[in-house]
């Protein structure tokens, strides 16, 4: 794969130069902002999105509160598992960072000495976005949008090839979807036990919450609306 990256006719390299070239024409303050957003900002935004969705689940309550929280817990767990799966992939492919083989890139982040394929940031954000989509379609679409922006930022910053990002998207999506049924089978009993706890029940259902009549996160009840079905159905 590293050999392919050395070819100037490779569209992967051409797209890398096109996107990273935008950084050369941008003012320095904008590049510094993209550096923060691409390195930390979008990851923090994904966490905030999951917590925001969890807050709504708690306040809405209902019989499906525990399975819904279990689905939300799966989103960050899926991201962590996907990154672990990426460790042997990176070691097997051993693709150097793009700035190693291609001079003239505007690299916005220093100290990136590990291998490039696949992108951890793209893997993390897409796994969380797809995991969130399994729980709630509207929040999930927002999360997937953040993941796509993360992928663009990694190429803009000069630290990944476009195919590194695409590989990360594929890995994150596969882990989040394929392991979702098993994760829900394991996590739902745990969240139901927490819901029955006098001390920790607030994590699942807020005091005074009432059963929800719409926007249920987990299918399987008679009140579920078709537009809110999740991918695990």
């Amino acid at each position: 794969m590293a050999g392919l990256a050395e070819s100037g006719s490779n569209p992967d390299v051409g797209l890398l130069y096109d996107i990273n070239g935008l950084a050369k024409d941008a003012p320095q303050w904008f590049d510094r902002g993209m550096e923060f957003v691409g390195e930390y900002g979008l990851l923090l935004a994904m966490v905030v999105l999951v917590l925001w969705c969890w807050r709504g689940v708690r306040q809405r309550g209902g019989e499906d509160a525990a399975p819904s929280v279990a689905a939300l817990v799966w989103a960050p767990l899926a991201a962590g598992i996907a990154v672990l799966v990426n460790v042997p992939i990176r070691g097997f492919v051993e693709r150097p960072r793009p700035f190693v083989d291609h001079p003239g890139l505007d690299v916005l982040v220093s100290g990136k000495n590990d291998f490039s394929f696949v992108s951890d940031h793209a893997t993390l954000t897409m796994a969380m976005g797809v995991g969130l989509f399994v729980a709630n379609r509207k929040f999930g679409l927002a999360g997937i949008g953040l993941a796509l922006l993360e992928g663009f930022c990694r190429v803009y910053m000069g630290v990944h090839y476009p195919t590194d990002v695409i590989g990360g998207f594929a890995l994150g999506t596969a882990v989040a979807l394929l392991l979702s049924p098993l994760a829900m089978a394991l996590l739902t009993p745990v969240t139901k036990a927490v819901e029955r706890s006098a001390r920790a029940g607030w994590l699942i259902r807020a005091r005074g919450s009432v059963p929800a009549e719409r926007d249920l996160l987990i299918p399987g009840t008679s009140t579920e609306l078709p537009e809110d079905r999740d991918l695990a159905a």
Side-chain angles (χ1 to χ4, degrees):
M1 186 170 290
L4 291 175
E6 294 174 359
S7 172
S9 61
N10 183 359
D12 193 23
V13 177
L15 189 57
L16 166 68
Y17 275 109
D18 288 342
I19 296 177
N20 181 253
L22 299 174
K24 295 183 178 182
D25 299 330
Q28 186 176 9
W29 64 265
F30 184 82
D31 284 349
R32 297 286 76 81
M34 289 291 284
E35 176 186 349
F36 175 79
V37 169
E39 194 72 6
Y40 307 107
L42 290 171
L43 293 176
L44 293 175
M46 290 295 302
V47 173
V48 171
L49 199 62
V50 172
L51 293 176
W52 188 4
C53 188
W54 168 68
R55 178 177 178 270
V57 170
R58 288 182 62 250
Q59 291 181 339
R60 186 166 55 247
E63 294 181 356
D64 287 339
S68 298
V69 173
L72 292 175
V73 172
W74 169 236
L77 287 179
I81 293 173
V83 170
L84 290 177
V85 173
N86 188 31
V87 172
I89 294 176
R90 277 193 166 190
F92 176 77
V93 177
E94 295 186 345
R95 186 186 203 183
R97 294 280 182 170
F99 52 79
V100 174
D101 294 323
H102 303 287
L105 292 175
D106 191 2
V107 183
L108 303 186
V109 182
S110 60
K112 298 293 184 180
N113 300 318
D114 55 345
F115 295 121
S116 185
F117 186 88
V118 296
S119 167
D120 276 340
H121 281 72
T123 302
L124 272 169
T125 51
M126 186 56 75
M128 289 189 69
V130 173
L132 190 55
F133 188 89
V134 171
N136 183 282
R137 179 170 296 181
K138 294 178 181 178
F139 280 91
L141 287 175
I144 292 172
L146 291 178
L148 294 175
L149 180 58
E150 178 69 80
F152 176 84
C153 287
R154 302 310 288 178
V155 180
Y156 181 95
M157 294 159 61
V159 295
H160 281 293
Y161 294 98
T163 48
D164 297 337
V165 170
I166 294 172
F169 289 163
L171 177 59
T173 299
V175 170
L177 291 183
L178 295 179
L179 297 182
S180 177
L182 176 61
M184 291 302 300
L186 296 175
L187 291 172
T188 301
V190 175
T191 53
K192 286 184 177 180
V194 172
E195 184 180 22
R196 293 191 296 267
S197 171
R199 293 184 177 182
W202 62 273
L203 291 170
I204 310 299
R205 189 198 303 263
R207 292 182 179 179
S209 60
V210 295
E213 295 181 357
R214 56 179 294 112
D215 298 331
L216 295 177
L217 303 184
I218 305 299
T221 66
S222 59
T223 56
E224 180 197 359
L225 296 181
E227 63 268 24
D228 288 317
R229 295 183 62 87
D230 61 69
L231 296 179

